[in-house]
Amino acid sequence: MEADLVGWRRHLHRHPELSFQETATVRFVVDTLRAEGIEVREGVGKLGPDAPGTGAIALVRGEKGGSDACIALRADLDALPITEVGKEAYCSKHPGVMHACGHDAHTAMVLGAGIALHRVRKEWSGTVMLVFQPGEEKEPGGASLLVKEGVFNDPKPSGILGQHVTPELPTGKLGFRSGPFMAAADELYITVKGRGGHAGSPHLCIDPVPIAAQLILSLQQVVSRRNKPGQPMVLSLGKVIANGATNIIPDEVRIEGTMRTFDEAWRSELHGLLPDLARGICEGMGATVDFTIVKGSPVVKNDPELNERIRAAAVGYVGEANVVDMDIRMGAEDFAYYTHVMPGCFFRLGTGNPALPGTQSGLHRAEMDIDEDALVLGAGMMAWAGICELAR
Ligand code: NI
């Protein structure tokens, strides 16, 4: 199915859609599945009561009989607001939108796994649920919506598998991690409010710029001094806007960032600690502060037993030498929501190749690409892992 996999991936890559707007993407997936005679449910993953729901769930049923086991294979459909560079053969046709996180590959591979299993359905028993979810890249996360909508109630999968392309892992390798794997991520929105005026008369103003600077450094001290050593935590403030001028002190400074943690108790403590700290610093210097934390997805926690079995399936599929144990990652994944309601195994597919520009560039970048040789392995691994779980 190599030509199909590459063709699907390139079609999706050319036509990326942003989170919760994946209407053409899900149409393509649904039509491709139905053309094979696979049963599909559309309209899942609704952002609100009137939203279309740009996700789909397909059921591939083994016809050997004798088992009502079910395992879910998950793909994500959405792209990112990035303007793509390079890749003449299949560059994005939608300005400012790009599959820069490999979700085009994830979708093609789960599509391929499902169709391959359907074609050999007489040889296995049980049900494989294909999950095509919208909005991985945006809160509240398509995964959380599917869980709330109860799409996993009937049939009820015994577990869910997710796979993510990984530039730093060479093509041919699969990466696993038992237990907590990826961080909980919360968004920070901070506005330091002072009083602007002439830059030559700071004594008549409450300059929010040095107050914001102090706040930024103090927030980093929470990571180095309040966080327990050895406990993973990242706080990154990627946006700082003080919109004054050489001779103008602005009224306010806006700061946005993210907080990544692994411990749920520490995470909720931070939801109180950070705003308290900000108030102390800003009010002590005559300013005020708005501090909003938007709660994102929780930790991706791989079920140790499921992870062990899927890792063993991977060893059987690609050999011990091609299976790698990975460190925790401070990236976040809305696959996390699944792992809090059923056993989950999220693993990494190597797509880096030094001979191919872009495949080692890192995710969420304009030049990001994958080594398409990984598609057959990724689709095959999903199908094989699903079969191994059902045959257990
Ligand atoms: Ni992703």
Side-chain angles (χ1 to χ4, degrees):
M1 294 179 72
E2 186 174 6
D4 282 334
L5 289 164
V6 171
W8 294 332
R9 184 260 164 168
R10 291 190 175 194
H11 171 83
L12 296 168
H13 195 87
R14 270 192 216 100
H15 305 97
E17 294 173 301
L18 292 174
S19 308
F20 300 109
Q21 300 171 29
E22 308 92 336
T23 45
T25 305
V26 77
R27 183 83 266 129
F28 176 79
V29 167
V30 168
D31 290 349
T32 308
L33 290 166
R34 287 204 177 130
E36 284 286 325
I38 294 172
E39 127 190 26
V40 193
R41 179 177 158 205
E42 297 178 69
V44 299
K46 288 175 187 283
L47 255 188
D50 300 323
T54 47
I57 302 288
L59 295 176
V60 182
R61 299 182 193 273
E63 291 181 358
K64 204 173 164 191
S67 167
D68 52 10
C70 177
I71 184 80
L73 309 180
R74 176 270 205 163
D76 36 13
L77 301 168
D78 54 332
L80 287 157
I82 293 177
T83 300
E84 184 160 24
V85 295
K87 291 166 284 243
E88 297 74 36
Y90 48 92
C91 195
S92 167
K93 290 186 171 175
H94 301 169
V97 186
M98 175 190 172
H99 270 295
C101 197
H103 299 188
D104 50 344
H106 305 162
T107 300
M109 290 187 292
V110 169
L111 204 49
I115 290 173
L117 288 172
H118 183 69
R119 288 178 183 171
V120 296
R121 61 191 175 279
K122 296 211 163 20
E123 294 171 44
W124 54 277
S125 22
T127 302
V128 173
M129 177 187 278
L130 311 178
V131 179
F132 296 93
Q133 69 152 85
E136 192 282 320
E137 302 282 2
K138 196 168 178 181
E139 298 307 331
S144 77
L145 301 179
L146 296 192
V147 169
K148 273 194 211 118
E149 288 169 19
V151 305
F152 302 106
N153 293 345
D154 184 28
K156 201 174 163 65
S158 61
I160 186 164
L161 313 180
Q163 175 175 244
H164 204 296
V165 303
T166 303
E168 64 268 29
L169 209 58
T171 302
K173 308 262 184 208
L174 294 165
F176 288 86
R177 171 107 193 162
S178 184
F181 186 19
M182 296 179 68
D186 298 320
E187 294 174 346
L188 310 178
Y189 296 90
I190 310 163
T191 306
V192 178
K193 296 175 174 174
R195 189 174 61 242
H198 199 292
S201 309
H203 61 295
L204 301 178
C205 307
I206 297 167
D207 186 351
V209 177
I211 302 173
Q214 195 134 355
L215 174 59
I216 290 166
L217 294 176
S218 302
L219 289 171
Q220 290 307 330
Q221 270 185 40
V222 172
V223 183
S224 69
R225 303 287 81 185
R226 299 293 295 271
N227 182 46
K228 187 173 151 197
Q231 175 169 263
M233 177 181 178
V234 164
L235 198 148
S236 294
L237 303 169
K239 186 167 178 179
V240 181
I241 307 279
N243 207 10
T246 56
N247 54 359
I248 301 169
I249 290 171
D251 282 323
E252 61 180 35
V253 175
R254 283 183 293 120
I255 304 168
E256 293 178 15
T258 181
M259 170 181 106
R260 308 286 168 110
T261 51
F262 265 83
D263 182 84
E264 201 54 49
W266 173 232
R267 179 191 190 192
S268 37
E269 198 181 326
L270 285 163
H271 280 231
L273 195 156
L274 297 184
D276 284 351
L277 172 75
R279 266 191 298 277
I281 289 170
C282 295
E283 286 171 9
M285 301 180 101
T288 59
V289 65
D290 281 347
F291 202 115
T292 305
I293 303 180
V294 178
K295 207 168 178 184
S297 51
V299 169
V300 173
K301 47 171 194 176
N302 279 335
D303 180 78
E305 287 171 21
L306 179 63
N307 188 75
E308 196 45 55
R309 293 196 300 270
I310 302 305
R311 192 190 183 284
V315 168
Y317 197 62
V318 295
E320 187 76 61
N322 289 315
V323 175
V324 184
D325 290 309
M326 302 196 77
D327 201 356
I328 58 156
R329 301 170 70 94
M330 298 311 286
E333 236 300 334
D334 86 338
F335 188 84
Y337 289 107
Y338 304 126
T339 69
H340 289 251
V341 296
M342 66 180 115
C345 175
F346 192 69
F347 58 95
R348 314 291 301 204
L349 173 74
T351 50
N353 179 346
L356 297 172
T359 68
Q360 292 185 305
S361 86
L363 305 174
H364 294 211
R365 291 176 57 87
E367 59 275 14
M368 185 267 172
D369 201 357
I370 62 155
D371 179 357
E372 290 176 325
D373 281 354
L375 292 172
V376 170
L377 170 60
M381 176 58 201
M382 279 301 231
W384 173 242
I387 283 294
C388 288
E389 266 308 282
L390 291 177
R392 190 162 74 84

